[in-house]
Amino acid sequence: MNEYEEIRREKARWERCVDKGDIGSFQTVSGLPVEILYTPLDLTNFDYLRDLGFPGEYPFTRGIRHNMYRGRLWTMRQFSGFGTARDTNARYKFLLAHGETGLSVAFDFPTLYGRDSDDPMAMGEVGKCGVAISSLEDMETLFEGIPLGEVSTSMTINGPAAVLWAFYIVTAEKQGVPSERLRGTIQNDILKEYIAQKSWLFPPEPSLRIITDIMAFGAEHVPKWNTISISGYHIREAGSTAAQELAFTLKDGMTYVEAGIKAGLDVDTFAPRLSFFFNSHLDFFEEIAKFRAARRIWAREMREKFKARKPESWLLRFHTQTAGCTLTAQQPENNIVRTAFQALAAVLGGTQSLHTNSMDETWALPTEKAVLIALRTQQLIAEETGVINVIDPLGGSYYVEALTNQLEQQAYEYFKKIDALGGMVKAIEQGYPQREIAEAAYRYQKAVDEGRRTVVGVNKYVLEGEKLEIPILKIDPRVEEEQRERLARLRQRRDNARVQKVLLDLKAACAGKENVMYPILEAVRAYATLGEICGAMKEVFGTYAEPPMF
Amino acid sequence: MARKLRILIAKPGLDGHDRGAKVVARALRDAGFEVIYTGLHQTPEMIAEAAIQEDVDAVGLSILSGAHMTLFPEVMRLLREKGAGDILVFGGGIIPKEDMEALYKMGCGRLFGPGTPTQEIIDYLREKFPDRT
Amino acid sequence: MSELTIDNLLERFGRGDRRACGQILSLIENESTIATEILNRLYPAMGRAYRIGITGPPGAGKSTLVEKLALLSRKEGRSIGIVAVDPSSPFSGGAVLGDRVRMSALFTDPEVYIRSMATRGSLGGLAVRTKEVCDVLDAFGKEYIIIETVGVGQMELDIAEAADSTIVVLVPESGDSIQALKAGLMEIGEIYCVNKSDREGADRIVLEIETMLELRGKNDGWIPPVVKTSALTGTGIAELYEQIIAHRRYLEGSEALQKRRWQALRTEIQRLVEQKVRARLWQNQEINARLEELVTDTMQKKLSPYQAAETLLNEMVGNGKRRSSVRREGD
């Protein structure tokens, strides 16, 4: 107590000499007010062993591995996909050759919605913002020449996740790789679809059932696979604050754990395979604090609330993507720098896997040159900056620890609000998180419009009469035609009687209690298409309509 | 009495990223306009029908999926076909400059990329419809 | 707008051209001078549509119910009009009209016409011209017109006047507010609907409503039923629809419908007269000049405001006959 008294006095003395200044916003990007200086006085309740502990041990605030990056760097995993499977296969080989250490698949919109490339609603969208995968054949082409037993692959897919996963598993099967050896992730986070990304298929209840089926199947047959990537990235991209991203993501996670337990699974069988996906946004320190708070909160909830017994169930593993929504169309080269800062924050925050955005993504999908710079950004951090030498180097910083505490507190306030509404699913039905996010997005834009928030190149340091001087990726317009032809040939070649049968079996399984993964795999082996499989499931499960909220 | 500006804001196609569309809709409301927001996953047919029934002055499309070269022209074509070619079609999203030029040549109104201040959109609409409030 | 153009508009309207209908609706909504002429010319074609009002607190699921009712009605081959009213922002005067979002299944059905309206400051839940918009849709050939609006609190509720059957939609969570909703919503409903009835508390609120209704007594001799629905799953929709048909048959059978429409027409003509009188009165320069004089006299305490008004009236009308422009009926 005595040492604090003296510091308090000295600080008061110092404050009297301080001209508070008028530059900067005195707030984090999320609107959290921050002091000019942080001292031990902001951490009078700080207990090192309780609040931080050691890396690789509860509560994992400083990191989830004992030796972190000294033992293993984060995976450099660039989210990619465009055009046909062949086009994307070439891009994957390019990235692997240049030092990428993990694959990440970006699917086009029709695929994300469980529709084939020749579906009427797919018109104009095939291959435009990701790769078009309508069948097992497409998946086989996507990974041709890439040994699935030796890479880890992340697939950003939600509504139809079970089907795309089945395509992958069977593709590996055909390569001679048993499912037990497969490593990777499927995003499969339907709750955030309802909140932010909006690429859902079925209503919440059947969606949760499919997720628990996937978790059970994974635990038994694909033990090295992350069956869910509980995501905050999209929530942040939709306009939320850091605290909302943290709170809604972790609450989604807790909802899945509850669903798994309710389905009769032992929490320690599936919890170690839950993974997370966060955004790395503009405010350098707020983001680092957010990652640390996430680990601490999750560890506590898993151990205390859900009574998980294995340490592997307590630790929060996450992938990070730098914030797409902060990139500008104006002076796109600046985006390289923004991405570098955001990537650094993710590394200092202890991420297990990282995607860095390319500078041209406000105009189109990345060119080879742009994605290479993005990849090099990560390699530069790893090889040249020295930050990997020490675990959680910002630990102990008065500011970062205070900020970590604050974000944690805010998250718990949100948890209370959501519980009062009856849990996350009910909160989503009532439009609560969606409204919070839309309002935060609006406030942010107003601040930019009114000049209270600076965006370099957009409302300050603007280049008049700017000419775009970077190359832009163009998707070959023939992609849609090509896919249509491929599908037509496939439908002719295959055993259509068998396809009919497996789809009927699938519908029966959906209506009953059988794990849907088994009939889906059968359907995939028979070369039923994505659209056909999802169509069959939709007949039983119905579709979802968004609650109108503005 | 001057009529209020009536704008339809729509998300055509499968793209589910509605942050921009919602922010623009609110901004237009705060500028005193009446905004009909149709929500996600609209086909060009649905958009054209809604525009006609609501007799809007302009239709704003938000497209971030890369499908703009199909969706913008289709909406414009359907409006013309149904005798409503005078309804202005404008929009925004992720659209390369080259494609913007191509769409302008087809008769599309202004396209607003990322970073556009909402006031710019408001000013543009006010300028296009000076006899509306 | 020239005579030629109005003729052209009306001609296309008569042929079922939806664009022409949309343009006429805009003319009506913006109270332009042509609106009256158009309404005059369309009047003979009006009167066939049956108007269903749907109101209730926000979040009750009204739009989804409207969509489901419309779909049911379409199965019977009926042509439907839907007017969705949302409040304007009191600060900017603008509005986001988002009810359509809930009705996308109806967008490409050529027999369904959906029009969104903002209240533009009007306080009773409807916009000033909602009734006229319904009239135009009536003339357009719509057999059912569903009017959807937000209803809370105890203000006078326009919907009851505008609709033949008024449905009040509540949700299990409305329980606490039933007491607060005593006046207003709880007075005007002819059918009560508890939506999202799969939620906890549904039966409790049904009981509360029934108790309230018993205290209220009958409306035209009709005892309002309470229907449980779940718009998302579709349960209860058919029953709700049947109750609407039943109410209609009841009104038609008991001549209550005729009486209502008579009364509504009477009120409307009175209202129009009052509007015109008010407008003409204060546009008259002579009268305004005289008014100024009287205000001065009143300021100088030569006479009281009431005497000033009486004086002005007598001077205008002459023999002391009361004009209702300066007093509301029943004062």
Side-chain angles (χ1 to χ4, degrees), chain C residues 72-278:
Chain C
L72 252 183
S73 198
R74 283 296 297 128
K75 282 212 188 99
E76 293 179 359
R78 307 280 193 178
S79 193
I80 318 277
I82 298 173
V83 181
V85 187
D86 273 323
S88 300
S89 158
F91 304 113
S92 70
V96 173
L97 309 173
D99 292 327
R100 269 190 170 260
V101 174
R102 246 353 196 167
M103 306 181 195
S104 29
L106 303 167
F107 281 16
T108 47
D109 185 333
E111 290 302 317
V112 179
Y113 196 104
I114 304 173
R115 181 79 175 204
S116 310
M117 294 183 79
T119 54
R120 294 189 183 171
S122 183
L123 289 177
L126 296 182
V128 167
R129 303 291 267 180
T130 303
K131 187 195 160 298
E132 285 79 4
V133 163
C134 293
D135 289 339
V136 171
L137 289 175
D138 183 353
F140 196 53
K142 296 302 162 198
E143 296 169 78
Y144 281 121
I145 298 176
I146 305 177
I147 311 162
E148 186 202 327
T149 177
V150 171
V152 276
Q154 309 174 9
M155 307 170 295
E156 174 144 22
L157 293 153
D158 297 342
I159 189 95
E161 265 184 39
D164 298 312
S165 295
T166 303
I167 305 174
V168 174
V169 184
L170 298 167
V171 279
E173 294 81 52
S174 304
D176 295 332
S177 10
I178 295 243
Q179 293 303 313
L181 295 171
K182 235 193 288 237
L185 280 186
M186 297 313 291
E187 305 264 290
I188 59 160
E190 280 144 337
I191 298 171
Y192 283 83
C193 173
V194 176
N195 196 24
K196 307 193 188 182
S197 58
D198 47 299
R199 293 207 188 152
E200 230 185 273
D203 290 321
R204 205 178 341 118
I205 198 185
V206 168
L207 207 57
E208 276 183 54
I209 299 171
E210 285 172 345
T211 315
M212 276 263 114
L213 292 175
E214 246 163 72
L215 293 171
R216 187 185 100 182
K218 301 182 187 167
N219 220 355
D220 291 321
W222 164 266
I223 307 162
V226 185
V227 181
K228 286 203 302 206
T229 58
S230 171
L232 278 181
T233 62
T235 31
I237 307 290
E239 200 198 321
L240 180 62
Y241 191 65
E242 269 158 39
Q243 289 293 356
I244 297 171
I245 309 289
H247 186 234
R248 177 179 188 173
R249 253 186 256 125
Y250 175 82
L251 290 178
E252 282 168 350
S254 69
E255 291 176 358
L257 191 60
Q258 261 303 89
K259 253 199 287 183
R260 270 197 199 185
R261 291 197 175 167
W262 174 271
Q263 183 57 39
L265 207 49
R266 187 173 191 276
T267 311
E268 200 200 334
I269 297 174
Q270 280 180 311
R271 185 174 60 89
L272 287 168
V273 170
E274 288 173 17
Q275 256 176 30
K276 287 181 183 304
V277 164
R278 177 175 287 140

Side-chain angles (χ1 to χ4, degrees), chain B residues 7-129:
Chain B
I7 314 282
L8 186 85
I9 300 281
K11 293 275 316 163
L14 298 171
D15 174 19
H17 299 94
D18 57 2
R19 172 180 181 172
K22 284 190 169 152
V23 166
V24 170
R26 272 174 206 228
L28 295 181
R29 173 200 62 194
D30 288 351
F33 304 168
E34 286 175 357
V35 180
I36 290 123
Y37 181 72
T38 61
L40 299 171
H41 311 144
Q42 303 293 297
T43 62
E45 177 72 43
M46 287 159 81
I47 293 171
E49 259 310 306
I52 285 169
Q53 289 177 17
E54 303 283 2
D55 191 29
V56 296
D57 298 302
V59 170
L61 303 177
S62 160
I63 303 180
L64 286 82
S65 61
H68 46 272
M69 291 311 291
T70 310
L71 296 170
F72 271 99
E74 184 63 6
V75 170
M76 292 193 289
R77 185 188 72 79
L78 284 167
L79 284 171
R80 271 196 305 270
E81 197 179 87
K82 294 171 193 267
D86 55 318
I87 296 181
L88 174 71
V89 176
F90 71 102
I94 301 285
I95 305 173
K97 281 225 164 90
E98 217 179 274
D99 291 351
M100 282 193 192
E101 296 304 320
L103 288 170
Y104 291 152
K105 285 214 181 73
M106 289 189 220
C108 188
R110 266 213 30 217
L111 296 168
F112 299 95
T116 306
T118 49
Q119 190 60 45
E120 216 177 289
I121 305 174
I122 294 166
D123 290 341
Y124 169 72
L125 290 169
R126 285 224 172 97
E127 191 208 348
K128 278 284 177 179
F129 300 101

